[in-house]
Amino acid sequence: SVLATQLKYLQKSREKLPTFFENHCLFLPKAFEQASSEETAINRSYQGETCLDLTCGLGVDTLHYSKKFDRVVALESDPLLAQITQHNLQKLSISNVKLLNQRAEDFLSQPSEWTFDLIYVDPDRRTHAGKRAIRLEDCQPNVLELLPILCQRGKCILIKASPMLDLTEAIRTFPSLQKLSVVSVKNEVKEVLLELGPSAPKELIREIQVIRRSEFQAFHFSESFLKELVGNPANPEMKYIY
């Protein structure tokens, strides 16, 4: 029943989405499973005046961006999920988010003078057949197809990708990639973040974000450091490189 499903996911949200649990929010099972955890969302340091969340879902990322940006526009293509998320945002007393029941492709195709300090996209990694997708071109929305308009409308673009993404291929695919972050929670890689800027950087920032027991640490690696490390197998640090 609907009530049993809500009670089940409310209990599951206690650890993954504690703010939603405390405010007795509503959930859809698929959206819950695909949602970011609050642990990862809260540690993204982006801030500014305007943010566009192309793939709102349950609104976990939207919630935390609303605390760091003056105004957030969030898109959710599923009508029922959009209603549930709007309900949850009201329960969470979030007033600076404009939630639209629209596809990212439709919103971006409309003429607009709006530009955003940050455009965030967490593509749906489930195919129509229900299988998990890894390559960005197999996800929805297809960020590779949208990239030209995203670069016109956003000063910074942040893409959340599968933890199985080929990092070398990602670097080749996005010449304007500024930072590549691998995010680990409790010793398990949960996501890869691709931060794109307006032009190619002087040097790509490679970052490992480690979240454990609510503590956050970030480790940065330059290309020259990695080449030196790999080129010297006797280096004791090499035993930590997989």
Side-chain angles (χ1 to χ4, degrees):
S1 69
V2 174
L3 179 58
T5 299
Q6 290 305 311
L7 290 173
K8 173 185 175 181
Y9 281 92
L10 183 62
Q11 290 304 313
K12 291 182 72 171
S13 71
R14 185 193 296 266
E15 183 175 347
K16 182 178 181 179
L17 306 176
T19 304
F20 288 69
F21 172 80
E22 291 165 6
N23 288 275
H24 299 97
C25 291
L26 299 177
F27 304 99
L28 281 182
K30 180 183 176 182
F32 179 90
E33 300 298 341
Q34 293 181 341
S36 302
S37 69
E38 285 193 60
E39 275 186 308
T40 57
I42 201 171
N43 283 298
R44 294 181 196 142
S45 57
Y46 302 91
Q47 57 186 352
E49 293 183 3
T50 55
C51 172
L52 172 62
D53 185 348
L54 291 179
T55 47
C56 180
L58 276 177
V60 180
D61 294 297
T62 301
L63 167 65
H64 291 284
Y65 287 134
S66 72
K67 299 175 182 179
K68 298 177 180 178
F69 288 83
D70 297 336
R71 178 177 178 182
V72 178
V73 176
L75 310 180
E76 176 47 55
S77 59
D78 183 281
L80 177 57
L81 182 53
Q83 288 183 30
I84 288 175
T85 301
Q86 184 66 64
H87 168 83
N88 289 343
L89 290 173
Q90 290 172 354
K91 294 204 72 172
L92 295 165
S93 301
I94 303 300
S95 58
N96 62 334
V97 172
K98 183 176 183 180
L99 179 59
L100 302 175
N101 178 209
Q102 267 188 296
R103 295 168 64 245
E105 297 88 342
D106 296 335
F107 177 85
L108 292 170
S109 66
Q110 299 169 0
S112 174
E113 297 180 356
W114 268 85
T115 58
F116 298 88
D117 295 318
L118 175 70
I119 297 180
Y120 172 73
V121 55
D122 176 9
D124 187 350
R125 297 195 292 272
R126 290 281 185 181
T127 66
H128 293 299
K131 296 181 179 179
R132 287 187 180 275
I134 296 175
R135 300 189 310 165
L136 289 168
E137 56 265 43
D138 296 330
C139 302
Q140 292 296 325
N142 185 336
V143 293
L144 299 185
E145 290 182 351
L146 294 176
L147 194 56
I149 186 67
L150 292 178
C151 292
Q152 292 177 19
R153 303 283 291 275
K155 298 176 184 177
C156 176
I157 301 159
L158 184 65
I159 303 168
K160 176 182 167 184
S162 164
M164 298 295 291
L165 184 71
D166 184 329
L167 303 184
T168 304
E169 181 62 25
I171 294 170
R172 282 198 296 262
T173 302
F174 300 105
S176 65
L177 184 63
Q178 307 283 321
K179 183 194 290 187
L180 189 157
S181 302
V182 177
V183 183
S184 164
V185 179
K186 297 176 184 175
N187 300 329
E188 180 183 354
V189 175
K190 289 294 188 180
E191 58 192 47
V192 171
L193 298 176
L194 308 172
E195 179 187 315
L196 312 183
S199 59
K202 292 182 179 180
E203 184 171 25
L204 171 66
I205 299 173
R206 292 170 169 85
E207 177 182 72
I208 296 176
Q209 297 180 8
V210 179
I211 304 170
R212 193 164 181 265
R213 296 195 182 104
S214 299
E215 294 182 359
F216 174 85
Q217 290 178 288
F219 302 91
H220 297 91
F221 302 91
S222 65
E223 186 174 359
S224 57
F225 171 81
L226 292 173
K227 285 182 178 178
E228 179 183 348
L229 198 63
V230 175
N232 182 11
N235 194 318
E237 283 90 348
M238 271 303 292
K239 67 182 179 180
Y240 296 105
I241 304 298
Y242 174 73

